[in-house]
Amino acid sequence: CPSCDSAVQLVDELASPSCVVEVKSVKEEEVSRQAADLGIKTFPAVVIDGRLAPCCDGNQITRDGLIKAGIGQSL
């Protein structure tokens, strides 16, 4: 969807070389189960270090929200 494409593009722009970015589709059964386990209720969503990013808990994904969540920070 256009919202998902925009979110992926934004994450890709902000990600540092040490970030591992994976794009998953909830159309896959295992991914759908993982999303439910993480408490993801809306899409797109961003997971950082195995946890739903605070900016994605029912809110619009923004550049500032992703930066505050840790996207782009070197490990």
Side-chain angles (χ1 to χ4, degrees), residues 7-74:
V8 169
Q9 182 179 357
L10 187 55
V11 169
D12 282 341
E13 287 175 14
L14 294 173
S16 72
S18 65
C19 292
V20 175
V21 177
E22 294 180 52
V23 179
K24 298 184 177 186
S25 172
V26 291
K27 293 179 182 178
E28 297 174 27
E29 189 174 328
E30 178 62 25
V31 175
S32 183
R33 277 196 296 269
Q34 290 172 347
D37 290 345
L38 289 167
I40 297 172
K41 295 178 177 77
T42 60
F43 299 95
V46 176
V47 175
I48 301 172
D49 294 329
R51 296 175 53 192
L52 179 62
C55 63
C56 301
D57 190 14
N59 299 314
Q60 182 180 10
I61 297 173
T62 65
R63 179 178 296 277
D64 287 341
L66 290 173
I67 291 169
K68 287 178 185 175
I71 296 285
Q73 296 176 16
S74 296

